[in-house]
mmCIF file of all heavy atoms in Angstrom:
data_model
loop_
_atom_site.group_PDB
_atom_site.id
_atom_site.type_symbol
_atom_site.label_atom_id
_atom_site.label_comp_id
_atom_site.label_asym_id
_atom_site.label_seq_id
_atom_site.Cartn_x
_atom_site.Cartn_y
_atom_site.Cartn_z
ATOM 1 N N ALA A 25 1.505 3.458 3.833
ATOM 2 C CA ALA A 25 2.102 3.648 2.508
ATOM 3 C C ALA A 25 2.854 2.397 2.066
ATOM 4 O O ALA A 25 2.911 2.092 0.865
ATOM 5 C CB ALA A 25 3.031 4.850 2.523
ATOM 6 N N LEU A 26 3.432 1.651 3.018
ATOM 7 C CA LEU A 26 4.146 0.421 2.667
ATOM 8 C C LEU A 26 3.200 -0.649 2.144
ATOM 9 O O LEU A 26 3.624 -1.579 1.453
ATOM 10 C CB LEU A 26 4.910 -0.118 3.878
ATOM 11 C CG LEU A 26 6.154 0.648 4.322
ATOM 12 C CD1 LEU A 26 6.918 -0.153 5.356
ATOM 13 C CD2 LEU A 26 7.062 0.998 3.151
ATOM 14 N N ARG A 27 1.928 -0.515 2.456
ATOM 15 C CA ARG A 27 0.933 -1.480 1.984
ATOM 16 C C ARG A 27 0.199 -0.981 0.745
ATOM 17 O O ARG A 27 -0.747 -1.614 0.276
ATOM 18 C CB ARG A 27 -0.080 -1.767 3.101
ATOM 19 C CG ARG A 27 0.547 -2.378 4.356
ATOM 20 C CD ARG A 27 -0.472 -2.501 5.463
ATOM 21 N NE ARG A 27 0.057 -3.256 6.597
ATOM 22 C CZ ARG A 27 -0.593 -3.424 7.746
ATOM 23 N NH1 ARG A 27 -1.784 -2.887 7.913
ATOM 24 N NH2 ARG A 27 -0.038 -4.118 8.732
ATOM 25 N N GLY A 28 0.608 0.173 0.248
ATOM 26 C CA GLY A 28 -0.057 0.746 -0.916
ATOM 27 C C GLY A 28 -1.410 1.332 -0.600
ATOM 28 O O GLY A 28 -2.218 1.565 -1.511
ATOM 29 N N ASP A 29 -1.676 1.585 0.665
ATOM 30 C CA ASP A 29 -2.972 2.124 1.094
ATOM 31 C C ASP A 29 -2.749 3.486 1.731
ATOM 32 O O ASP A 29 -2.723 3.628 2.951
ATOM 33 C CB ASP A 29 -3.628 1.159 2.089
ATOM 34 C CG ASP A 29 -4.992 1.660 2.576
ATOM 35 O OD1 ASP A 29 -5.560 2.533 1.916
ATOM 36 O OD2 ASP A 29 -5.456 1.180 3.627
ATOM 37 N N PHE A 30 -2.553 4.498 0.896
ATOM 38 C CA PHE A 30 -2.237 5.817 1.415
ATOM 39 C C PHE A 30 -2.629 6.874 0.401
ATOM 40 O O PHE A 30 -2.504 6.688 -0.806
ATOM 41 C CB PHE A 30 -0.734 5.931 1.712
ATOM 42 C CG PHE A 30 -0.323 7.270 2.252
ATOM 43 C CD1 PHE A 30 -0.522 7.577 3.589
ATOM 44 C CD2 PHE A 30 0.240 8.226 1.428
ATOM 45 C CE1 PHE A 30 -0.158 8.816 4.093
ATOM 46 C CE2 PHE A 30 0.619 9.463 1.917
ATOM 47 C CZ PHE A 30 0.413 9.757 3.253
ATOM 48 N N GLY A 31 -3.127 7.986 0.915
ATOM 49 C CA GLY A 31 -3.462 9.125 0.071
ATOM 50 C C GLY A 31 -3.356 10.397 0.869
ATOM 51 O O GLY A 31 -3.396 10.387 2.107
ATOM 52 N N LEU A 32 -3.203 11.520 0.187
ATOM 53 C CA LEU A 32 -3.108 12.802 0.879
ATOM 54 C C LEU A 32 -4.423 13.172 1.547
ATOM 55 O O LEU A 32 -4.451 14.012 2.449
ATOM 56 C CB LEU A 32 -2.677 13.895 -0.104
ATOM 57 C CG LEU A 32 -1.293 13.701 -0.732
ATOM 58 C CD1 LEU A 32 -0.981 14.844 -1.687
ATOM 59 C CD2 LEU A 32 -0.221 13.594 0.344
ATOM 60 N N LEU A 33 -5.517 12.572 1.103
ATOM 61 C CA LEU A 33 -6.807 12.682 1.796
ATOM 62 C C LEU A 33 -7.107 11.315 2.384
ATOM 63 O O LEU A 33 -7.353 10.362 1.651
ATOM 64 C CB LEU A 33 -7.905 13.110 0.835
ATOM 65 C CG LEU A 33 -9.310 13.221 1.454
ATOM 66 C CD1 LEU A 33 -9.391 14.435 2.382
ATOM 67 C CD2 LEU A 33 -10.380 13.320 0.372
ATOM 68 N N THR A 34 -7.063 11.207 3.716
ATOM 69 C CA THR A 34 -7.294 9.917 4.346
ATOM 70 C C THR A 34 -8.734 9.791 4.812
ATOM 71 O O THR A 34 -9.345 10.754 5.284
ATOM 72 C CB THR A 34 -6.350 9.707 5.546
ATOM 73 O OG1 THR A 34 -6.613 8.429 6.130
ATOM 74 C CG2 THR A 34 -6.517 10.780 6.600
ATOM 75 N N ASP A 35 -9.286 8.588 4.677
ATOM 76 C CA ASP A 35 -10.658 8.324 5.126
ATOM 77 C C ASP A 35 -10.681 7.636 6.484
ATOM 78 O O ASP A 35 -11.724 7.142 6.904
ATOM 79 C CB ASP A 35 -11.389 7.467 4.091
ATOM 80 C CG ASP A 35 -10.714 6.114 3.868
ATOM 81 O OD1 ASP A 35 -9.640 5.856 4.474
ATOM 82 O OD2 ASP A 35 -11.250 5.304 3.087
ATOM 83 N N ARG A 36 -9.532 7.629 7.204
ATOM 84 C CA ARG A 36 -9.463 6.908 8.469
ATOM 85 C C ARG A 36 -9.841 7.774 9.662
ATOM 86 O O ARG A 36 -9.714 7.344 10.806
ATOM 87 C CB ARG A 36 -8.059 6.316 8.661
ATOM 88 C CG ARG A 36 -7.651 5.397 7.511
ATOM 89 C CD ARG A 36 -8.710 4.326 7.246
ATOM 90 N NE ARG A 36 -8.610 3.729 5.944
ATOM 91 C CZ ARG A 36 -7.999 2.594 5.688
ATOM 92 N NH1 ARG A 36 -7.395 1.947 6.664
ATOM 93 N NH2 ARG A 36 -7.984 2.108 4.469
ATOM 94 N N LEU A 37 -10.284 8.998 9.406
ATOM 95 C CA LEU A 37 -10.772 9.888 10.458
ATOM 96 C C LEU A 37 -11.766 10.833 9.804
ATOM 97 O O LEU A 37 -11.743 11.049 8.590
ATOM 98 C CB LEU A 37 -9.603 10.677 11.075
ATOM 99 C CG LEU A 37 -9.861 11.368 12.422
ATOM 100 C CD1 LEU A 37 -10.141 10.326 13.512
ATOM 101 C CD2 LEU A 37 -8.658 12.210 12.839
ATOM 102 N N ASN A 38 -12.675 11.365 10.635
ATOM 103 C CA ASN A 38 -13.680 12.299 10.134
ATOM 104 C C ASN A 38 -14.505 11.692 9.005
ATOM 105 O O ASN A 38 -14.796 12.340 7.997
ATOM 106 C CB ASN A 38 -13.021 13.597 9.655
ATOM 107 C CG ASN A 38 -14.029 14.696 9.376
ATOM 108 O OD1 ASN A 38 -15.024 14.843 10.083
ATOM 109 N ND2 ASN A 38 -13.787 15.475 8.329
ATOM 110 N N ALA A 39 -14.885 10.421 9.171
ATOM 111 C CA ALA A 39 -15.721 9.778 8.168
ATOM 112 C C ALA A 39 -17.082 10.508 8.079
ATOM 113 O O ALA A 39 -17.631 10.912 9.093
ATOM 114 C CB ALA A 39 -15.949 8.311 8.546
ATOM 115 N N PRO A 40 -17.600 10.698 6.861
ATOM 116 C CA PRO A 40 -17.076 10.220 5.581
ATOM 117 C C PRO A 40 -16.210 11.257 4.840
ATOM 118 O O PRO A 40 -15.690 10.970 3.772
ATOM 119 C CB PRO A 40 -18.352 9.961 4.787
ATOM 120 C CG PRO A 40 -19.271 11.061 5.248
ATOM 121 C CD PRO A 40 -18.959 11.265 6.719
ATOM 122 N N ASP A 41 -16.085 12.488 5.384
ATOM 123 C CA ASP A 41 -15.385 13.551 4.654
ATOM 124 C C ASP A 41 -13.886 13.313 4.559
ATOM 125 O O ASP A 41 -13.246 13.663 3.568
ATOM 126 C CB ASP A 41 -15.630 14.910 5.326
ATOM 127 C CG ASP A 41 -17.082 15.332 5.257
ATOM 128 O OD1 ASP A 41 -17.806 14.797 4.388
ATOM 129 O OD2 ASP A 41 -17.502 16.183 6.065
ATOM 130 N N GLY A 42 -13.294 12.752 5.618
ATOM 131 C CA GLY A 42 -11.863 12.509 5.634
ATOM 132 C C GLY A 42 -11.063 13.698 6.131
ATOM 133 O O GLY A 42 -11.608 14.742 6.509
ATOM 134 N N VAL A 43 -9.757 13.546 6.133
ATOM 135 C CA VAL A 43 -8.826 14.557 6.637
ATOM 136 C C VAL A 43 -7.739 14.794 5.587
ATOM 137 O O VAL A 43 -7.154 13.844 5.066
ATOM 138 C CB VAL A 43 -8.177 14.106 7.965
ATOM 139 C CG1 VAL A 43 -7.060 15.060 8.384
ATOM 140 C CG2 VAL A 43 -9.231 14.011 9.063
ATOM 141 N N ASN A 44 -7.486 16.065 5.289
ATOM 142 C CA ASN A 44 -6.407 16.458 4.387
ATOM 143 C C ASN A 44 -5.109 16.434 5.182
ATOM 144 O O ASN A 44 -4.876 17.274 6.044
ATOM 145 C CB ASN A 44 -6.688 17.854 3.831
ATOM 146 C CG ASN A 44 -5.702 18.279 2.766
ATOM 147 O OD1 ASN A 44 -4.511 18.051 2.882
ATOM 148 N ND2 ASN A 44 -6.218 18.930 1.722
ATOM 149 N N LEU A 45 -4.247 15.475 4.892
ATOM 150 C CA LEU A 45 -3.032 15.308 5.694
ATOM 151 C C LEU A 45 -2.081 16.484 5.552
ATOM 152 O O LEU A 45 -1.376 16.835 6.507
ATOM 153 C CB LEU A 45 -2.320 14.013 5.294
ATOM 154 C CG LEU A 45 -3.033 12.711 5.684
ATOM 155 C CD1 LEU A 45 -2.252 11.501 5.191
ATOM 156 C CD2 LEU A 45 -3.253 12.627 7.185
ATOM 157 N N LEU A 46 -2.022 17.114 4.383
ATOM 158 C CA LEU A 46 -1.116 18.240 4.203
ATOM 159 C C LEU A 46 -1.627 19.500 4.883
ATOM 160 O O LEU A 46 -0.837 20.406 5.178
ATOM 161 C CB LEU A 46 -0.887 18.503 2.711
ATOM 162 C CG LEU A 46 -0.008 17.474 2.001
ATOM 163 C CD1 LEU A 46 0.096 17.782 0.523
ATOM 164 C CD2 LEU A 46 1.381 17.422 2.626
ATOM 165 N N ALA A 47 -2.917 19.583 5.136
ATOM 166 C CA ALA A 47 -3.458 20.708 5.892
ATOM 167 C C ALA A 47 -3.210 20.530 7.382
ATOM 168 O O ALA A 47 -3.477 21.447 8.165
ATOM 169 C CB ALA A 47 -4.954 20.863 5.627
ATOM 170 N N ASN A 48 -2.712 19.359 7.758
ATOM 171 C CA ASN A 48 -2.347 19.051 9.131
ATOM 172 C C ASN A 48 -0.840 18.770 9.183
ATOM 173 O O ASN A 48 -0.212 18.493 8.164
ATOM 174 C CB ASN A 48 -3.123 17.831 9.630
ATOM 175 C CG ASN A 48 -4.594 18.109 9.825
ATOM 176 O OD1 ASN A 48 -5.049 18.364 10.936
ATOM 177 N ND2 ASN A 48 -5.377 18.074 8.741
ATOM 178 N N THR A 49 -0.281 18.827 10.373
ATOM 179 C CA THR A 49 1.159 18.581 10.534
ATOM 180 C C THR A 49 1.409 17.076 10.632
ATOM 181 O O THR A 49 1.793 16.554 11.671
ATOM 182 C CB THR A 49 1.689 19.300 11.780
ATOM 183 O OG1 THR A 49 0.894 18.928 12.910
ATOM 184 C CG2 THR A 49 1.606 20.802 11.602
ATOM 185 N N SER A 50 1.214 16.392 9.506
ATOM 186 C CA SER A 50 1.132 14.931 9.523
ATOM 187 C C SER A 50 2.464 14.216 9.359
ATOM 188 O O SER A 50 2.486 12.987 9.268
ATOM 189 C CB SER A 50 0.171 14.462 8.425
ATOM 190 O OG SER A 50 0.501 15.062 7.182
ATOM 191 N N VAL A 51 3.599 14.943 9.279
ATOM 192 C CA VAL A 51 4.950 14.361 9.211
ATOM 193 C C VAL A 51 5.008 13.129 8.313
ATOM 194 O O VAL A 51 5.511 12.074 8.700
ATOM 195 C CB VAL A 51 5.504 14.050 10.623
ATOM 196 C CG1 VAL A 51 5.758 15.314 11.399
ATOM 197 C CG2 VAL A 51 4.577 13.138 11.423
ATOM 198 N N ILE A 52 4.512 13.269 7.092
ATOM 199 C CA ILE A 52 4.384 12.130 6.187
ATOM 200 C C ILE A 52 5.733 11.456 5.940
ATOM 201 O O ILE A 52 5.841 10.221 5.961
ATOM 202 C CB ILE A 52 3.755 12.580 4.862
ATOM 203 C CG1 ILE A 52 2.297 13.012 5.100
ATOM 204 C CG2 ILE A 52 3.807 11.471 3.823
ATOM 205 C CD1 ILE A 52 1.629 13.624 3.890
ATOM 206 N N ALA A 53 6.769 12.257 5.695
ATOM 207 C CA ALA A 53 8.084 11.672 5.407
ATOM 208 C C ALA A 53 8.601 10.853 6.589
ATOM 209 O O ALA A 53 9.173 9.770 6.407
ATOM 210 C CB ALA A 53 9.084 12.769 5.042
ATOM 211 N N LEU A 54 8.410 11.359 7.812
ATOM 212 C CA LEU A 54 8.843 10.613 8.993
ATOM 213 C C LEU A 54 8.032 9.343 9.146
ATOM 214 O O LEU A 54 8.561 8.282 9.508
ATOM 215 C CB LEU A 54 8.706 11.481 10.244
ATOM 216 C CG LEU A 54 9.495 12.781 10.294
ATOM 217 C CD1 LEU A 54 9.259 13.491 11.629
ATOM 218 C CD2 LEU A 54 10.977 12.517 10.090
ATOM 219 N N GLY A 55 6.722 9.438 8.898
ATOM 220 C CA GLY A 55 5.863 8.268 9.029
ATOM 221 C C GLY A 55 6.225 7.171 8.054
ATOM 222 O O GLY A 55 6.231 5.983 8.413
ATOM 223 N N VAL A 56 6.550 7.555 6.818
ATOM 224 C CA VAL A 56 6.942 6.556 5.822
ATOM 225 C C VAL A 56 8.313 5.983 6.166
ATOM 226 O O VAL A 56 8.546 4.774 6.046
ATOM 227 C CB VAL A 56 6.938 7.188 4.420
ATOM 228 C CG1 VAL A 56 7.502 6.213 3.394
ATOM 229 C CG2 VAL A 56 5.519 7.602 4.028
ATOM 230 N N LEU A 57 9.239 6.841 6.593
ATOM 231 C CA LEU A 57 10.574 6.379 6.957
ATOM 232 C C LEU A 57 10.524 5.365 8.096
ATOM 233 O O LEU A 57 11.252 4.363 8.092
ATOM 234 C CB LEU A 57 11.439 7.579 7.358
ATOM 235 C CG LEU A 57 12.878 7.286 7.797
ATOM 236 C CD1 LEU A 57 13.672 6.693 6.642
ATOM 237 C CD2 LEU A 57 13.552 8.549 8.313
ATOM 238 N N PHE A 58 9.654 5.607 9.078
ATOM 239 C CA PHE A 58 9.558 4.714 10.242
ATOM 240 C C PHE A 58 8.423 3.699 10.106
ATOM 241 O O PHE A 58 8.069 3.049 11.091
ATOM 242 C CB PHE A 58 9.366 5.547 11.512
ATOM 243 C CG PHE A 58 10.650 6.059 12.099
ATOM 244 C CD1 PHE A 58 11.315 7.120 11.510
ATOM 245 C CD2 PHE A 58 11.210 5.475 13.213
ATOM 246 C CE1 PHE A 58 12.504 7.594 12.036
ATOM 247 C CE2 PHE A 58 12.395 5.933 13.745
ATOM 248 C CZ PHE A 58 13.054 6.991 13.151
ATOM 249 N N ALA A 59 7.882 3.567 8.919
ATOM 250 C CA ALA A 59 6.775 2.629 8.721
ATOM 251 C C ALA A 59 7.123 1.205 9.142
ATOM 252 O O ALA A 59 6.302 0.534 9.796
ATOM 253 C CB ALA A 59 6.318 2.668 7.264
ATOM 254 N N PRO A 60 8.303 0.672 8.817
ATOM 255 C CA PRO A 60 8.606 -0.690 9.281
ATOM 256 C C PRO A 60 8.566 -0.819 10.800
ATOM 257 O O PRO A 60 8.073 -1.816 11.336
ATOM 258 C CB PRO A 60 10.022 -0.936 8.736
ATOM 259 C CG PRO A 60 10.147 -0.020 7.557
ATOM 260 C CD PRO A 60 9.372 1.204 7.942
ATOM 261 N N VAL A 61 9.074 0.202 11.506
ATOM 262 C CA VAL A 61 9.037 0.173 12.970
ATOM 263 C C VAL A 61 7.592 0.215 13.453
ATOM 264 O O VAL A 61 7.199 -0.528 14.366
ATOM 265 C CB VAL A 61 9.839 1.350 13.562
ATOM 266 C CG1 VAL A 61 9.751 1.358 15.085
ATOM 267 C CG2 VAL A 61 11.293 1.282 13.119
ATOM 268 N N THR A 62 6.794 1.091 12.843
ATOM 269 C CA THR A 62 5.401 1.227 13.254
ATOM 270 C C THR A 62 4.629 -0.062 13.046
ATOM 271 O O THR A 62 3.866 -0.503 13.913
ATOM 272 C CB THR A 62 4.732 2.367 12.473
ATOM 273 O OG1 THR A 62 5.450 3.590 12.712
ATOM 274 C CG2 THR A 62 3.290 2.554 12.893
#
């Protein structure tokens, strides 16, 4: 998300259909908060 490359449907798994991040326990807020560390 810090690079502007983020969506609620990600194409980085299950190509080509993708993965719905909200249908999974994807801890989006934590991931964005710790993005600099990551």
Side-chain angles (χ1 to χ4, degrees):
L26 288 190
R27 299 174 172 175
D29 180 18
F30 180 80
L32 297 180
L33 178 71
T34 180
D35 60 357
R36 303 308 161 97
L37 196 64
N38 191 37
D41 295 340
V43 172
N44 187 318
L45 291 178
L46 287 177
N48 290 262
T49 53
S50 50
V51 293
I52 293 173
L54 300 181
V56 173
L57 179 64
F58 276 75
V61 178
T62 301

